[in-house]
C-alpha cells in the first residue's frame, strides 16, 4: 500500500496526498460530501478549514434540518445535483420515472485501493503497477430514487495529478434519464482566478485566451460531436498573477473526443465552481434498472510554478500513461506527405520521383494522402470505398508500397473511415449506414456525411474493409482523418426517446473500432487527424500516439498553434511539416530555415513536392533531416518549456532539455522586423545552476549564467527569422 490516501474517521476527512499535491474532502453533518482543498501538498489537516455556518438569504437549507445556517447553496461541495437548494451550476441532472429530478445524495461509504480501475470502453490514464497510484471511491445514495453515485479519485504517487470520474448506478426497478452527469465538480474558496482556454477554428487551432472570471456562468465547450478546432477540451485556472514560470495553476483536461463542456461560475460570495464533462446539450441517456453509466475522466494537474510546470506534468502523463503501444516512447519517423504536393491529382508514376527524392535526402517514410481509393478525384466522392483506384495505381497499392519499401522508406496511408459519400458503392449498398434525420435530406459538409458508428454492423463493415488492406502487411502508418463536424445525429438503432444517446454512442463506437484496430495491428503507427487538429485530445491519444496539429502549415501561424497545443500535449504527439512557399493557406513566404525550425519543434515531416526543390534547397533539406535525426530524441521526449509567448510579443521561444539532461535545445523565432528593434534578452530555464553548458561555437557557460543573465537574441534583418541553439552539458 502506498499510503497516498488517508481517512480521518473522527473529522470524517479524506486526504489524498503525495509530495506535490493535496486534495481534501469531508463528510459534513447530515452526510453531504464537501470539498475542502486542492493545491500544494500539506502534511496534516487539523480541521481549521471547516466550512463556516452562516444564514444566507435565499439560499436553500437541508430538508428536515432546522439549522438555517447550513446552506447547500454556498457550501463547497464535491458534487451537486440540479433541483436541490444549491442554485449554482449543478454537476448532474437525472430525471426519474415520475418526472422529478431533485435528488439528495447522502454519503454512504467509501473504498480505497491501490492502482487505478479500468474505465471500460473509454480512453484513460493508466498505471503499469498498482504501486503507482491509489484510488478513492466515495459512494452516495438517494433513498427515493434508489440511485447510487460513485465519485472516483485516483492520485498518482509521483505526479501532481488526480484523475476524476463519476459513475451512476440505477438500483431501482425503473429507468431514469441522465440529462447531465459531469466527470467532475470542483469548488474553490473565494480567491482571484483567471481562466485560460484554447479556442480556435479550422487552420487556427488552440489559440491561447486568458480572461478574468467575473460573476455569472462562463461555458467553454463543443456541440460538434468532436473535440473541435473551435474549443479544445482543456482549461487552466490561474490564481492571482501566475504566468509561465510562477504562481498557482490548476489544469483540467477531459479524456474524451466528443461534445464537452467546462462551466465556470463565480457565485454570490465570490467562490468558484468548475463543472466539466460531456456537454449536457444534446445528451440524454436512459439508465435502465440495474445499469451503470460511467463518465469519461478529467485529468487535473496542479502547479505551484506556473503554466510550464503544469504542461510538463501533462506531457509526461500523456506520453507515458495515456498513450499506448509500441510507438509510445519510440522516436517517430520523418515523413513526406503528398497532400500539398499533389492534392488529388496523382498517379503512381507521378509519385515515384517524390519517393526517390525523399530517399535521397534521408526522409524515412512516404505517406500517401487522400485520393488513392474509389474514384476520388475531388472531395465529393468515394468515402466508404476503401479499395484502390486502379486508374491511379494500375498495378495495385502493394506495388507502389513495395517500391517505397525498396527505397528504404516506410509506407503510410491516409484514410477517413468514419465517413460516407453519397457517390459511393457503400452508400448505394447501405444507404441506411449514413447518419441522417428520418425523411430529411442530410446536410453535407465538405460534401460528405457520417457513418453511424454507434451501430455494430457499420463498425464491422469498416473494420473488414480496413483489415483487407492491413492484412496484406504493407502499411506501416495510418493517418486517420475526420473532415466534418457531426450534424443530424440520429441513430436508426435507437428508439425516438433514446436519440439523446446518439452523440455519445458514436464516440463509444469510435473508441471500440479504434481499440480493435490498434490491438489487431500493433505494428502500425497511427496518426489522428481531423482537418488538422479538430479532434486533438487525450482520448484520441490513447489509441494514436500522434496527431496532425493543423492544416495550416504556415510556419508563422504554426508558432501560435503549436504554442497553444503545447499547453497540454507533448511535442511527440503533435506533427508539423515543412511546406511550400508561398504558403497554401496564407500566401506567406518564410525562409526554409524558419519553416524547418518551426516544424522541427515537434514530430517532423515535409509536405511539398521534393522534386521541385533547387539543388541548394535539396541540400538544405538533407541537412535539416540529418539535424532532426540528431535532436529528435530531445525534441520528442525531452522536457519542454515555453520561454517567450507569440500571443503577447513579437517573439516565440521554446526550449527542450534531453531526458538524460545532457543536451539543451532552444528554438527562437522573431516574427516581424521593426525599426529600432528592442534588444531581446533570452533566459533559459530548468538547467543545473551548478553545471556548465557548451554552446555550438565552443563557448562554455554556467547553467546559472544561462538562466539568470541570459543572452541577447541577434537583431533580425528580415521578417520571420529564427535561431536554433544547442548546448551540451559539460560533465
Ligand atoms: C484534411 C487533412 O488535415 C489534410 O492533411 C489532408 O489529409 C486532407 N484532409 C485530405 O482530404
Amino acid at each position: 500500500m502506498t499510503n497516498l490516501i488517508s481517512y480521518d474517521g473522527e473529522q470524517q476527512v479524506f486526504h489524498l496526498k503525495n509530495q506535490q499535491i493535496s486534495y481534501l474532502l469531508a463528510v459534513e453533518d447530515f452526510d453531504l460530501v464537501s470539498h475542502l482543498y486542492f493545491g500544494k501538498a500539506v502534511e496534516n489537516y487539523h480541521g481549521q478549514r471547516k466550512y463556516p455556518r452562516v444564514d444566507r438569504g435565499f439560499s436553500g437549507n437541508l430538508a428536515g434540518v432546522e439549522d438555517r445556517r447550513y446552506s447547500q447553496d454556498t457550501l463547497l461541495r464535491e458534487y451537486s445535483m440540479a433541483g436541490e437548494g444549491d442554485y449554482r451550476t449543478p454537476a448532474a441532472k437525472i430525471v426519474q420515472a415520475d418526472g422529478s429530478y431533485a435528488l439528495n445524495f447522502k454519503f454512504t461509504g467509501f473504498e480505497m485501493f491501490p492502482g487505478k480501475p479500468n474505465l471500460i470502453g473509454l480512453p484513460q490514464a493508466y498505471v503499469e503497477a498498482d504501486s503507482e497510484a491509489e484510488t478513492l471511491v466515495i459512494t452516495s445514495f438517494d433513498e427515493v430514487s434508489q440511485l447510487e453515485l460513485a465519485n472516483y479519485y485516483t492520485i498518482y504517487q509521483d505526479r501532481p495529478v488526480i484523475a476524476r470520474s463519476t459513475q451512476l448506478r440505477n438500483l431501482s426497478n425503473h429507468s431514469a434519464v441522465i440529462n447531465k452527469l459531469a466527470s467532475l465538480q470542483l469548488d474553490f474558496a473565494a480567491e482571484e482566478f483567471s481562466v485560460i482556454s484554447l479556442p480556435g477554428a479550422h487552420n487556427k487551432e488552440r489559440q491561447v485566451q486568458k480572461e478574468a472570471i467575473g460573476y455569472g456562468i462562463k461555458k467553454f465547450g463543443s456541440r460538434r460531436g468532436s473535440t473541435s478546432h473551435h474549443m479544445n477540451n482543456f482549461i487552466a485556472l490561474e490564481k492571482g498573477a501566475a504566468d509561465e514560470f510562477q504562481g498557482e495553476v490548476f489544469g483540467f483536461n477531459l479524456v474524451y473526443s466528443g461534445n464537452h463542456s467546462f462551466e465556470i461560475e463565480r457565485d454570490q460570495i465570490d467562490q468558484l465552481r468548475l463543472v466539466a464533462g460531456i456537454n449536457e446539450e444534446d445528451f440524454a441517456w436512459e439508465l435502465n434498472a440495474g445499469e451503470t453509466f460511467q463518465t469519461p475522466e478529467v485529468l487535473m494537474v496542479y502547479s505551484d510554478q506556473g503554466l510550464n510546470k503544469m504542461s510538463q506534468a501533462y506531457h509526461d502523463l500523456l506520453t507515458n500513461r495515456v498513450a499506448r503501444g509500441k510507438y509510445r516512447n519510440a522516436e517517430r519517423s520523418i515523413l513526406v506527405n503528398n497532400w500539398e504536393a499533389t492534392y488529388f491529382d496523382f498517379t503512381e508514376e507521378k509519385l515515384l520521383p517524390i519517393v526517390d527524392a525523399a530517399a535521397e535526402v534521408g526522409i524515412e517514410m512516404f505517406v500517401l494522402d487522400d485520393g488513392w481509393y474509389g474514384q476520388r478525384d475531388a472531395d465529393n466522392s468515394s468515402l466508404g470505398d476503401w479499395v484502390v483506384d486502379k486508374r491511379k495505381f494500375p498495378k495495385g497499392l502493394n506495388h507502389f508500397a513495395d517500391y517505397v519499401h525498396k527505397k528504404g522508406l516506410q509506407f503510410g496511408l491516409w484514410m477517413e473511415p468514419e465517413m460516407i459519400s453519397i457517390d459511393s458503392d457503400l452508400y448505394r449498398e447501405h444507404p441506411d449506414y449514413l447518419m441522417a434525420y428520418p425523411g430529411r435530406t442530410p446536410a453535407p459538409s465538405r460534401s460528405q456525411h457520417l457513418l453511424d458508428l454507434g451501430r455494430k454492423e457499420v463498425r464491422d463493415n469498416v473494420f473488414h474493409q480496413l483489415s483487407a488492406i492491413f492484412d496484406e502487411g504493407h502499411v506501416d502508418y495510418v493517418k486517420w482523418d475526420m473532415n466534418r463536424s457531426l450534424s443530424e445525429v440520429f441513430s436508426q438503432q435507437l428508439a425516438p426517446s433514446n436519440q439523446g444517446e446518439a452523440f455519445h454512442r458514436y464516440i463509444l463506437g469510435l473508441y471500440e473500432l479504434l481499440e480493435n484496430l490498434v490491438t489487431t495491428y500493433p505494428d502500425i503507427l497511427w496518426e489522428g487527424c481531423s482537418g488538422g487538429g479538430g479532434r486533438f485530445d487525450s482520448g484520441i491519444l490513447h489509441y494514436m500516439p500522434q496527431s496532425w496539429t493543423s492544416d495550416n502549415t504556415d510556419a508563422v501561424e504554426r508558432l501560435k498553434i503549436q504554442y497553444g497545443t503545447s499547453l497540454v500535449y507533448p511535442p511527440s504527439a503533435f506533427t508539423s511539416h515543412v511546406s511550400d512557399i508561398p504558403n497554401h493557406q496564407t500566401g506567406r513566404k518564410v525562409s526554409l530555415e524558419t519553416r524547418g525550425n518551426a516544424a522541427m519543434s515537434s514530430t517532423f515531416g515535409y509536405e511539398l513536392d521534393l522534386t521541385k526543390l533547387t539543388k541548394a534547397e535539396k541540400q538544405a533539406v538533407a541537412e535539416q533531416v540529418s539535424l532532426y535525426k540528431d535532436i529528435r530524441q530531445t525534441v520528442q521526449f525531452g522536457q519542454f518549456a515555453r520561454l517567450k509567448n507569440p500571443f503577447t510579443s513579437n517573439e516565440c521561444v521554446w526550449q527542450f532539455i534531453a531526458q538524460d539532461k545532457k543536451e539543451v535545445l532552444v528554438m527562437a523565432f522573431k516574427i516581424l522586423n521593426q525599426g529600432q528593434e528592442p534588444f531581446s534578452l533570452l533566459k533559459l530555464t530548468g538547467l543545473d545552476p551548478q553545471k556548465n553548458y557548451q554552446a555550438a561555437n565552443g563557448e562554455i557557460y554556467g547553467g546559472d549564467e544561462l538562466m539568470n543573465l541570459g543572452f541577447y537574441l541577434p537583431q533580425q534583418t528580415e521578417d520571420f527569422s529564427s535561431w536554433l541553439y544547442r548546448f551540451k552539458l559539460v560533465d
Side-chain angles (χ1 to χ4, degrees):
M1 194 76 179
T2 41
N3 250 340
L4 295 170
I5 305 174
S6 58
Y7 174 59
D8 176 340
E10 214 168 292
Q11 295 193 81
Q12 296 217 74
V13 167
F14 297 90
H15 190 171
L16 296 85
K17 179 187 70 185
N18 63 23
Q19 299 284 313
Q20 304 178 66
I21 55 171
S22 277
Y23 190 106
L24 286 145
L25 58 134
V27 182
E28 295 286 322
D29 298 341
F30 314 110
D31 296 329
L32 289 198
V33 184
S34 73
H35 178 73
L36 285 172
Y37 175 76
F38 175 40
K40 200 175 170 80
V42 291
E43 196 48 42
N44 295 304
Y45 173 63
H46 291 101
Q48 71 276 21
R49 196 149 148 169
K50 192 161 173 57
Y51 199 77
R53 297 265 169 94
V54 173
D55 182 0
R56 302 269 181 195
F58 283 81
S59 298
N61 305 120
L62 278 187
V65 174
E66 280 310 311
D67 188 352
R68 288 171 49 155
R69 301 166 313 135
Y70 191 121
S71 165
Q72 300 178 70
D73 196 25
T74 56
L75 181 66
L76 302 181
R77 313 271 304 269
E78 278 302 309
Y79 207 80
S80 64
M81 313 298 293
E84 41 178 14
D86 180 348
Y87 298 95
R88 293 165 292 180
T89 304
K93 180 173 178 185
I94 296 137
V95 183
Q96 298 150 66
D98 63 6
S100 68
Y101 57 84
L103 299 169
N104 297 115
F105 278 108
K106 296 280 174 69
F107 171 80
T108 47
F110 67 93
E111 245 190 294
M112 300 191 291
F113 48 87
K116 184 171 187 294
N118 181 24
L119 311 184
I120 294 158
L122 288 168
Q124 59 203 283
Y126 56 88
V127 292
E128 288 195 337
D130 278 352
S131 56
E132 282 180 22
E134 214 170 298
T135 298
L136 168 69
V137 186
I138 298 282
T139 314
S140 311
F141 190 62
D142 177 66
E143 283 291 343
V144 177
S145 64
Q146 297 280 301
L147 291 168
E148 187 184 76
L149 183 75
N151 293 107
Y152 280 73
Y153 306 78
T154 298
I155 180 166
Y156 278 85
Q157 166 102 54
D158 298 320
R159 303 170 187 278
V161 175
I162 291 178
R164 279 192 59 182
S165 71
T166 306
Q167 247 185 33
L168 187 73
R169 250 171 91 193
N170 185 352
L171 299 174
S172 77
N173 298 321
H174 329 275
S175 64
V177 175
I178 304 172
N179 280 344
K180 178 180 191 180
L181 193 70
S183 300
L184 76 68
Q185 169 182 318
L186 189 57
D187 286 358
F188 290 88
E191 285 180 278
E192 246 352 271
F193 282 100
S194 46
V195 58
I196 292 183
S197 56
L198 296 175
H202 178 232
N203 279 335
K204 200 181 179 179
E205 293 88 339
R206 293 171 294 283
Q207 307 288 298
V208 179
Q209 170 178 254
K210 181 169 170 173
E211 297 160 90
I213 302 174
Y215 296 109
I217 302 166
K218 173 93 192 172
K219 180 168 174 173
F220 305 92
S222 165
R223 276 175 291 157
R224 293 169 176 271
S226 65
T227 326
S228 82
H229 304 82
H230 309 78
M231 190 63 74
N232 195 253
N233 53 13
F234 160 82
I235 64 158
L237 296 173
E238 278 189 357
K239 209 189 264 184
D243 61 23
E244 285 286 10
F245 303 96
Q246 60 209 350
E248 289 191 281
V249 179
F250 303 80
F252 303 90
N253 182 222
L254 182 66
V255 189
Y256 189 62
S257 311
N259 290 340
H260 57 87
S261 81
F262 290 72
E263 294 166 284
I264 298 171
E265 180 169 1
R266 179 167 170 167
D267 75 9
Q268 54 178 325
I269 52 171
D270 294 334
Q271 301 174 137
L272 202 71
R273 169 167 295 176
L274 165 68
V275 170
I278 295 176
N279 198 328
E280 71 189 284
E281 290 175 65
D282 298 318
F283 177 80
W285 189 276
E286 185 175 358
L287 192 68
N288 293 311
E291 285 181 353
T292 300
F293 184 88
Q294 170 69 55
T295 70
E297 70 182 5
V298 171
L299 302 172
M300 313 197 297
V301 168
Y302 168 76
S303 159
D304 59 350
Q305 287 163 46
L307 286 166
N308 268 320
K309 191 174 171 201
M310 174 204 72
S311 300
Q312 286 159 5
Y314 273 121
H315 292 183
D316 201 317
L317 178 74
L318 299 188
T319 302
N320 296 303
R321 292 295 179 268
V322 174
R324 298 173 297 167
K326 76 183 251 193
Y327 298 100
R328 186 183 80 172
N329 303 105
E331 289 186 10
R332 312 289 163 69
S333 298
I334 303 170
L335 60 82
V336 61
N337 175 304
N338 75 306
W339 179 242
E340 287 198 15
T342 63
Y343 295 102
F344 296 106
D345 182 18
F346 60 81
T347 58
E348 176 170 17
E349 212 183 337
K350 193 168 163 186
L351 294 176
L352 297 180
I354 302 183
V355 179
D356 295 345
E360 277 167 39
V361 294
I363 287 174
E364 298 159 318
M365 173 150 63
F366 178 89
V367 176
L368 179 58
D369 210 278
D370 194 357
W372 58 267
Y373 54 94
Q375 302 261 315
R376 179 92 163 164
D377 295 327
D379 61 15
N380 57 4
S381 89
S382 304
L383 290 165
D385 299 344
W386 301 109
V387 176
V388 70
D389 183 348
K390 283 282 177 74
R391 298 169 309 156
K392 295 182 182 171
F393 295 93
K395 296 180 185 151
L397 197 59
N398 290 345
H399 183 265
F400 178 59
D402 282 342
Y403 183 85
V404 173
H405 285 146
K406 265 187 217 132
K407 283 277 165 184
L409 275 73
Q410 294 161 306
F411 177 63
L413 194 61
W414 175 99
M415 318 190 130
E416 195 174 359
E418 297 165 63
M419 297 292 159
I420 182 165
S421 305
I422 298 280
D423 180 9
S424 68
D425 290 343
L426 186 66
Y427 183 73
R428 285 181 277 275
E429 222 177 296
H430 299 287
D432 62 302
Y433 282 9
L434 186 150
M435 198 149 45
Y437 285 145
R440 294 180 193 272
T441 309
S445 178
R446 205 198 188 205
S447 307
Q448 63 191 54
H449 301 269
L450 280 137
L451 289 171
D452 182 358
L453 286 189
R455 289 169 61 185
K456 185 167 179 336
E457 63 271 38
V458 178
R459 294 195 295 275
D460 286 350
N461 180 294
V462 174
F463 185 87
H464 289 131
Q465 285 203 59
L466 302 195
S467 295
I469 301 168
F470 301 151
D471 285 342
E472 304 267 324
H474 290 73
V475 176
D476 304 303
Y477 153 111
V478 167
K479 177 176 171 190
W480 182 290
D481 207 348
M482 194 272 189
N483 280 303
R484 64 164 291 177
S485 301
L486 279 61
S487 68
E488 288 114 325
V489 176
F490 182 95
S491 181
Q492 300 208 6
Q493 73 174 5
L494 296 171
S497 59
N498 291 95
Q499 290 300 328
E501 299 172 17
F503 269 107
H504 185 52
R505 287 194 185 278
Y506 179 92
I507 295 294
L508 293 179
L510 170 69
Y511 288 152
E512 190 191 296
L513 178 61
L514 290 177
E515 182 71 23
N516 287 342
L517 285 164
V518 302
T519 51
T520 310
Y521 303 100
D523 292 334
I524 291 177
L525 169 64
W526 301 81
E527 175 160 335
C529 178
S530 174
R535 202 171 52 192
F536 200 115
D537 58 72
S538 44
I540 288 296
L541 191 77
H542 196 56
Y543 307 92
M544 315 200 216
Q546 62 189 52
S547 274
W548 180 224
T549 315
S550 176
D551 276 349
N552 190 338
T553 57
D554 176 303
V556 173
E557 301 262 295
R558 269 303 188 105
L559 297 178
K560 285 186 177 170
I561 295 169
Q562 293 173 200
Y563 195 95
T565 304
S566 78
L567 248 50
V568 196
Y569 307 100
S572 62
F574 56 89
T575 56
S576 310
H577 299 167
V578 171
S579 62
D580 205 358
I581 50 168
N583 179 268
H584 292 195
Q585 290 77 40
T586 62
R588 189 176 279 126
K589 291 183 184 167
V590 175
S591 69
L592 185 54
E593 185 185 11
T594 293
R595 279 179 283 153
N597 287 340
M600 279 194 276
S601 300
S602 63
T603 291
F604 182 54
Y606 290 83
E607 185 150 341
L608 42 74
D609 188 343
L610 294 166
T611 64
K612 299 210 170 109
L613 297 179
T614 63
K615 211 170 159 216
E617 284 169 338
K618 218 167 163 186
Q619 177 57 31
V621 166
E623 281 164 20
Q624 283 177 346
V625 167
S626 143
L627 170 65
Y628 189 73
K629 286 177 184 169
D630 214 21
I631 62 174
R632 85 173 128 192
Q633 178 64 32
T634 302
V635 169
Q636 294 178 3
F637 300 106
Q639 188 191 61
F640 175 86
R642 294 170 297 269
L643 304 183
K644 289 191 184 243
N645 183 342
F647 290 95
T648 54
S649 76
N650 189 34
E651 295 158 344
C652 175
V653 185
W654 39 57
Q655 170 203 298
F656 305 81
I657 302 180
Q659 268 176 330
D660 63 8
K661 313 262 183 242
K662 291 198 168 144
E663 178 177 50
V664 181
L665 289 172
V666 180
M667 314 265 201
F669 305 85
K670 284 194 184 177
I671 319 294
L672 293 179
N673 198 10
Q674 46 188 328
Q676 296 301 351
E677 187 179 284
F679 291 117
S680 173
L681 196 57
L682 188 61
K683 295 180 184 175
L684 308 194
T685 184
L687 310 192
D688 186 335
Q690 319 286 350
K691 298 244 164 93
N692 287 327
Y693 294 82
Q694 184 165 36
N697 63 5
E699 293 287 345
I700 293 184
Y701 308 99
D704 55 352
E705 281 182 279
L706 291 170
M707 290 193 293
N708 300 331
L709 275 76
F711 56 91
Y712 289 110
L713 282 179
Q715 290 285 98
Q716 65 176 347
T717 50
E718 55 178 28
D719 292 344
F720 323 131
S721 303
S722 66
W723 300 269
L724 190 159
Y725 298 96
R726 287 179 85 173
F727 299 93
K728 299 269 183 208
L729 184 76
V730 181
D731 280 328

